[in-house]
Amino acid sequence: MRRAIAVGLLGLAGLVGALALSGCGGGDRDALTIYTGRTESLVGPLLERFSEENDVAIDVRYGDTNDLALLIATEGDRSPADVYWGQSPGATAYLAGRDLLAPLPAATLEKVAPGFEDRDGRWVGVSGRERTLVYNRDAVAEGDLPQSVFDLTSPRFRDRVAVAPSNGSFQDFITAMRTLEGEEATADWLRAMVENGVRTYANNNAIVEAVGRGEVDMGLVNHYYNYRFLAEDPSLPSRNHQFADGDIGNLVIPSSASVLASSDDQETAQRFIDFLLTAESQTYFAEETFEYPLADGVPPADGVPPLSSLKPPAGERADELGDIEQTGKLIAESGLN
């Protein structure tokens, strides 16, 4: 949220202009308005499918997950949004903490495994992603890969690691580190990464591209980006590496969907969220984006390790990642930009 907060302080008008608004279903007629941090190329077909199958017009505002959360917080009860669909749970928890989200029915929350929903019922995870280290196998031998994300501050990884500090998933990872490892340990890790020459990129896509072309040896990203690149070009040398069992670097986080408390069409908004949890939509996430389906009964894509086989850190919950202001402050104070 560091960038989002910074943007908000610099001026919301510019932010509003920067966030694209598009529609499905035609016209400006009683449309369901969705603010989403997901990429249009990834989820646009799914939105069109819901619009067609349910005869519901949709207006979509695409943008950065954290920027959109800040926009909703600023708009308050006047927000035109009916649904907020975040790329990661931290910004959604931020909105939940400001009482801007409506409670979801138990029947919706029960469709996903415990831990992928807000305990107070204000959002639900619709797809899962694992934090991972993508590396170039031509530049890094498997035996030289780190066992912990904390190893990346070692001199042997100097100038070789990439991160995307403005990315919502990276910020969720930092928030989880604060919760599980403590404020001081997290601040120390961030400062040590900067001192060790960590390289910054705009987003996860840019990191995976850079690793694939040999520009940087490795980077912290979500798991599914590299699967998408390899699906297009199996000859790429980029591979995913999991840290040792229970390491904070293996954090599993959901993309999260919620209904705005201020929405005047909560029934349709709720229907859209239930649509995201159908077998049809969950299969779309598995096969088109290589994310983890979170509703029961839908397997991940071929080649993606089962969700049950992952070894995330114990004790972390996605609904505890809402303190994004302090995370933004720590990142900024570290000099990471």
Side-chain angles (χ1 to χ4, degrees):
M1 199 66 182
R2 178 180 63 82
R3 184 165 75 88
I5 292 171
V7 170
L9 292 175
L10 288 172
L12 188 62
L15 171 62
V16 173
L19 299 173
L21 182 65
S22 60
C24 332
D28 58 351
R29 51 305 156 223
D30 296 330
L32 182 73
T33 300
I34 298 172
Y35 284 13
T36 181
R38 304 307 311 270
T39 305
E40 183 173 6
S41 61
L42 290 181
V43 303
L46 206 53
L47 298 180
E48 291 179 4
R49 192 176 301 173
F50 174 80
S51 177
E52 293 170 0
E53 292 179 358
N54 292 273
D55 193 24
V56 171
I58 294 177
D59 285 338
V60 190
R61 187 178 292 279
Y62 292 100
D64 178 88
T65 287
N66 294 341
D67 287 348
L68 289 169
L70 176 66
L71 179 59
I72 290 173
T74 303
E75 293 172 336
D77 291 341
R78 300 183 305 279
S79 176
D82 298 296
V83 172
Y84 175 68
W85 183 5
Q87 187 183 42
S88 54
T92 312
Y94 169 82
L95 294 176
R98 280 152 182 75
D99 296 325
L100 293 170
L101 305 181
L104 299 174
T108 297
L109 301 169
E110 290 169 356
K111 292 177 180 176
V112 302
F116 293 115
E117 90 291 21
D118 176 39
R119 279 174 290 194
D120 293 327
R122 297 164 296 185
W123 58 262
V124 65
V126 296
S127 60
R129 57 278 297 278
E130 182 193 34
R131 295 294 296 171
T132 190
L133 184 75
V134 64
Y135 69 100
N136 186 312
R137 65 178 181 181
D138 293 338
V140 187
E142 283 192 37
D144 293 333
L145 290 166
Q147 291 302 299
S148 169
V149 75
F150 286 96
D151 295 341
L152 295 174
T153 60
S154 164
R156 67 191 176 100
F157 295 111
R158 184 169 184 80
D159 300 328
R160 302 175 68 191
V161 184
V163 298
S166 64
N167 175 260
S169 296
F170 178 79
Q171 295 181 7
D172 285 345
F173 156 69
I174 294 299
T175 305
M177 183 186 287
R178 290 173 46 219
T179 301
L180 298 178
E181 306 291 342
E183 299 284 344
E184 185 174 349
T186 304
D188 288 347
W189 184 80
L190 285 166
R191 283 194 295 268
M193 290 292 286
V194 173
E195 291 168 0
N196 211 33
V198 68
R199 300 166 66 172
T200 59
Y201 287 80
N203 51 48
N204 289 327
N205 266 323
I207 291 175
V208 177
E209 284 180 339
V211 168
R213 62 176 177 262
E215 180 177 300
V216 64
D217 288 349
M218 61 191 79
L220 293 171
V221 297
N222 293 337
H223 80 277
Y224 58 95
Y225 290 93
N226 193 44
Y227 284 100
R228 290 171 50 209
F229 276 88
L230 290 175
E232 293 185 5
D233 183 358
S235 70
L236 287 171
S238 53
R239 295 292 183 272
N240 284 350
H241 167 66
Q242 285 185 317
F243 297 103
D245 293 357
D247 191 82
I248 186 69
N250 298 335
L251 186 70
V252 177
I253 51 179
S255 69
S256 51
S258 53
V259 175
L260 272 292
S262 57
S263 169
D264 59 4
D265 192 3
Q266 297 198 7
E267 186 275 334
T268 305
Q270 172 62 47
R271 186 147 43 103
F272 173 72
I273 291 177
D274 285 335
F275 168 79
L276 295 178
L277 294 170
T278 62
E280 174 188 13
S281 298
Q282 294 287 291
T283 300
Y284 178 91
F285 290 130
E287 296 181 351
E288 299 298 329
T289 72
F290 296 95
E291 293 174 275
Y292 284 103
L294 296 181
D296 287 343
V298 179
D302 289 346
V304 178
L307 185 61
S308 59
S309 72
L310 305 184
K311 303 295 182 184
E316 184 276 331
R317 281 194 56 100
D319 55 6
E320 295 176 344
L321 301 179
D323 185 12
I324 49 184
E325 291 103 332
Q326 179 61 16
T327 292
K329 181 180 177 183
L330 275 187
I331 293 173
E333 289 177 348
S334 74
L336 194 61
N337 55 48

